[in-house]
Structure formats: C-alpha cells, structure tokens
Amino acid sequence: MNVGVIGSGTMGSGIAQVAATAGCMVSLFDTNQSALDKAKANLEKVLSRLIEKGRIDEAEKNRIQSNISYVKQLQDLSEVNLVIEAIVEDLSIKQAVFSELETMVSESCIIASNTSSLSIASIAASLKKPERCIGIHFFNPAPLMKLVEVIPAVQTSEKTLESCVNTIKDWGKIVAIAKDTPGFIVNRVARPFYGESLRIYEEGLADFATIDDSLKTLGGFRMGPFELMDFIGNDVNYTVTETVFEAFYYDPRYKPSFTQKRLSEAGYLGRKSGKGYYDYNEGSQRPKPDENEELSRLIFERVLVMLINEAADALFLNIASPEDIDLAMTKGVNYPKGLLAWADEMGINWCVERMDALYDEYHEDRYRCSPLLRKMNRDQKTFF
Ligand code: NAI
C-alpha cells in the first residue's frame, strides 16, 4: 500500500515510521526542508536504539528506512491510496491543503486528518468528495502508543471507515471508533483527571504531591495528574482543556483552571521549562505527600468517580461503544483499568451516591450525575 503523510513533525514522522514498519511505501511530505531532515535524522536514531536493544536487526532498519521517501512537493503524493495529514492545528490551513491535494490524488484515495481538536466534518467539507475523509487520531509517540481513534464524520462513507479500520489494525494498532465530537474519546473522558485534581488543589484540600500520591498509590495510575501535566506541558494541556470547554458550549464540567492558566502564563510549563507544579532544576527536592489516609482516599475517590461519570456520559451520548471507551483509556493513556469496568467494580450505586453527594455539597452543574448511571442503578445493571 502507498501511504502519504503530510507534515513531518512530531506526529507525522511517528506515523510514517508506523506505516513503513508495517510494510507500506510511505511518502512523507513537509513544506519545511529542515523538518524533513530532522524527521530523517530522528528515525535513524530511533532505529539504531532499537538495534542496540536487540529489538530489530540491521536489515530491518534498512527495510524501514527504504520504505520512506522524504518529499517536498504535494504532487509527489499523487500515487498514494491513503493520506494522513499531521500539520499545524489550523482549520483553514488544513482545508487549503486538502482541497489542493484532492486535485492530485485518485478518486479512491482516502484523505485522513490526525487533528486532536478540530471537527472532521469541517475538514471534510473542503473536499469535493467528502465521503473519502475521516479522522485517524494517533497518540504521541505514535510508534509506541497502541491506540488509534478512528473518527468518521457525518459525510464519511461506510467503505472509507471499514478500509481505514482494517489498515490501522494491519499496522498493529488497536482501533477505537469515536463520534466526531470534541476531544473524541480520550481527550474528553480524561478531562476530570486534570480538572478535578486542580479543583481539589484550589479548594485547599491538598497539595500537588498529596493528590499525585493518592492517585498513584490508591488508583494505580502510572503518573499523578500534576506530574502528567508537567510532562505534557501546562501550555499544551491548558489549551486542550480550553478548546474542549469552548467546543462544548461552555459546559461547566470542562471548565479550565486559573491555577494552570497562571502557571502557563508565567512560563512554568513543566519539565520542558524546568518548572511547573514541581521544580525540575538540579538539586531540587520533591515535596513529601501528606500521609493522611482518609484524605488520600477522599481525593482518589472524588477524581475516580468524576472520571467514571465522564466515561458513562460519553456512552450515554453514544460517543463510542463501552468496549472502545475502556480500550481508549487503557491503551491511549495507560489507565490501570477501563473506567466502565472500574464502575462495575466499585458498584453503580456507589458511583451515583458519590456524584449526588458532590452535587449536594456544591450545587454546581459540574457535578451532575450522568442519567445513564442513574438509570443503570435503578435497573440494577452493570456495564459488562
Ligand atoms: P508539529 O509542529 O510537530 O509538526 C507539524 C509539521 O507540519 C511541521 O513540520 C510543519 O513544517 C509542517 N507543516 C505546517 N504546515 C504545512 C503545510 N501547509 N504543508 C506541509 N507541511 C506543513 O505538530 P504535531 O505535534 O506533530 O501535530 C500535528 C497534528 O497532529 C496537529 O493537528 C495536532 O493537533 C495533531 N496531534 C498532535 C499530538 C501531539 O501530541 N503532538 C497528538 C495527536 C494529534
């Protein structure tokens, strides 16, 4: 199969590696020569490291490298069967590239976008044949993260969807199909992990280290929310939250936090700037978490129930199947368990009681219990 990748930055170069490893002939296009050079040099480094680790041999490295050609003209993608675009997150630029591309490729070529926050419908609208357009959303780093969200727009044909799902599975990835709504599955369902943790901090209930420790120790999350936000970058994480909040017509459940906004404004971006919620400069010490077990439990249960409520509501609104919602969170962001399976384990009644207790305390729409949880509780049902 011939695959075109547009944009050779972080995501595009990773996607090209995935496709080339799976045996596709990949044309990686970027308007910026230095981005192409960097992608090529990075791949050399990544593959050499895999050889050192004994994961691949020299022949495999050569095979993968020779499957990728680095091209500087959009015209060079004219023979491909599938194009995945991973350029700047700007609707008008993506639309311009898509409509130019459509004049060069065959009638049957599928044109996909790796966008994280734009609607696939709006991107597809730039095409004469919008039924060939779809969202294929990889996670960073693309070669390592197993999950790919596939997002059909209202215009997308069944044939396009089916063909994409098969291709992505052939590339060794796990597919979750999501509705074309803000944040798709992962970036929507994960919001309370950050948002509720920030809220707990802002209320003065606990500091960053205590909240992180409680979610790691009691929840089994690999990283605490503040460690993770520092890792992602407060600027990037804040922007995703703000975009999702706006896209949901300002639903208070997705309200961004001033704490994170101020950190971002101050340039405390996290690891990459040496300081975020924690100090990453040499010699700095991590503050110790509070060892109050009751407080720890309270924090963990509050964040967990908000995550479960978000996952249940995504199911209620038919964003994805229960299986795909759980797969997305375990394979896309390495949650220790799927949230719906976790709800079954904690008990649906427990979830409803916790949400109602939060709502009673705050009287904020943010804490409204998903109607699905309430209905399941009444009918004594479980998710699986
Ligand atoms: P990036 O900034 O690393 O790379 C973008 C590349 O596109 C650059 O090399 C740039 O030269 C090139 N480019 C810009 N305009 C172009 C044009 N008109 N034609 C050809 N090439 C052009 O960006 P990144 O992080 O790889 O993101 C790309 C897309 O993937 C965005 O839509 C983003 O929302 C999405 N995404 C990003 C994730 C991440 O963690 N970085 C995760 C999942 C999706």
Side-chain angles (χ1 to χ4, degrees):
M1 180 178 195
N2 293 328
V3 175
V5 177
I6 306 185
S8 67
T10 311
M11 295 309 293
S13 56
I15 296 167
Q17 184 190 332
V18 171
T21 304
C24 297
M25 300 309 291
V26 181
S27 302
L28 180 55
F29 163 68
D30 204 294
T31 42
N32 181 346
Q33 183 61 47
S34 68
L36 286 173
D37 295 342
K38 201 171 145 202
K40 196 169 182 179
N42 267 349
L43 182 65
E44 167 70 32
K45 242 192 278 170
V46 167
L47 297 178
S48 298
R49 222 177 299 138
L50 289 179
I51 292 182
E52 276 164 32
K53 288 188 190 160
R55 300 259 193 85
I56 60 170
D57 57 16
E58 195 70 41
E60 175 68 352
K61 178 183 169 212
N62 291 337
R63 184 188 70 86
I64 296 169
Q65 282 179 315
S66 63
N67 280 355
I68 305 182
S69 45
Y70 298 82
V71 304
K72 272 222 73 182
Q73 308 291 332
L74 200 54
Q75 187 67 52
D76 293 324
L77 304 186
S78 60
E79 300 297 319
V80 304
N81 320 97
L82 166 68
V83 176
I84 303 179
E85 163 279 314
I87 64 170
V88 283
E89 191 72 337
D90 179 310
L91 179 62
S92 56
I93 300 180
K94 286 190 197 286
Q95 285 181 328
V97 171
F98 272 39
S99 49
E100 191 184 350
L101 177 74
E102 194 176 28
T103 63
M104 298 169 179
V105 294
S106 72
E107 286 270 301
S108 60
C109 176
I110 292 177
I111 303 182
S113 176
N114 185 53
T115 181
S116 318
S117 63
L118 300 168
S119 85
I120 308 303
S122 65
I123 299 173
S126 63
L127 296 177
K128 289 207 175 73
K129 275 173 63 85
E131 62 274 20
R132 62 158 89 197
C133 187
I134 193 160
I136 302 186
H137 186 226
F138 283 82
F139 290 78
N140 187 17
L144 295 185
M145 299 303 288
K146 277 276 171 209
L147 183 79
V148 176
E149 291 177 331
V150 172
I151 308 109
V154 278
Q155 302 100 314
T156 309
S157 70
E158 266 305 314
K159 202 170 134 216
T160 302
L161 173 62
E162 197 184 317
S163 156
C164 272
V165 169
N166 290 337
T167 302
I168 302 299
K169 283 186 178 165
D170 283 348
W171 292 359
K173 297 293 183 190
I174 293 171
V175 170
I177 299 176
K179 221 183 204 176
D180 185 15
T181 48
F184 310 132
I185 306 173
V186 170
N187 282 336
R188 171 194 194 128
V189 175
R191 299 269 54 84
F193 191 63
Y194 315 109
E196 202 52 27
S197 302
L198 280 155
R199 171 78 188 244
I200 289 169
Y201 164 77
E202 286 176 350
E203 287 181 18
L205 287 176
D207 59 14
F208 306 135
T210 304
I211 299 170
D212 275 353
D213 183 67
S214 117
L215 282 151
K216 285 194 294 183
T217 313
L218 298 176
F221 290 91
R222 283 197 208 164
M223 285 174 112
F226 296 100
E227 288 170 337
L228 187 53
M229 287 185 275
D230 270 354
F231 181 76
I232 295 168
N234 273 310
D235 49 343
V236 174
N237 189 260
Y238 180 80
T239 305
V240 176
T241 308
E242 197 176 43
T243 310
V244 170
F245 180 54
E246 284 168 10
F248 274 110
Y249 308 110
Y250 305 101
D251 184 328
R253 223 163 50 202
Y254 307 107
K255 197 152 129 192
S257 132
F258 282 122
T259 301
Q260 190 174 31
K261 183 159 202 230
R262 293 292 178 265
L263 252 58
S264 180
E265 288 167 347
Y268 295 172
L269 307 182
R271 275 170 193 256
K272 63 185 173 189
S273 71
K275 191 170 163 51
Y277 299 103
Y278 299 108
D279 192 339
Y280 296 90
N281 292 303
E282 273 226 12
S284 59
Q285 294 234 325
R286 268 290 167 90
K288 291 242 175 320
D290 189 329
E291 278 172 11
N292 177 339
E293 274 177 34
E294 201 183 325
L295 176 66
S296 253
R297 183 111 228 130
L298 191 124
I299 295 166
F300 159 61
E301 290 185 353
R302 178 162 159 187
V303 175
L304 177 65
V305 80
M306 287 294 277
L307 282 167
I308 288 174
N309 193 50
E310 197 58 52
D313 217 49
L315 179 62
F316 177 58
L317 297 171
N318 289 304
I319 304 306
S321 68
E323 290 77 16
D324 281 3
I325 290 174
D326 273 12
L327 262 184
M329 304 317 285
T330 51
K331 304 296 178 190
V333 271
N334 293 323
Y335 279 17
K337 278 178 224 168
L339 291 166
L340 300 176
W342 218 334
D344 285 346
E345 196 181 302
M346 301 302 281
I348 306 298
N349 185 46
W350 177 88
C351 301
V352 173
E353 277 182 2
R354 284 305 158 113
M355 285 309 298
D356 283 351
L358 284 166
Y359 188 83
D360 284 348
E361 187 170 343
Y362 294 102
H363 283 259
E364 283 178 52
D365 207 22
R366 172 187 181 86
Y367 296 108
R368 65 188 188 272
C369 179
S370 170
L372 178 62
L373 282 176
R374 213 178 278 293
K375 182 169 186 314
M376 286 174 63
N377 192 35
R378 233 177 11 239
D379 300 346
Q380 301 205 328
K381 288 238 170 79
T382 54
F383 286 106
F384 296 105

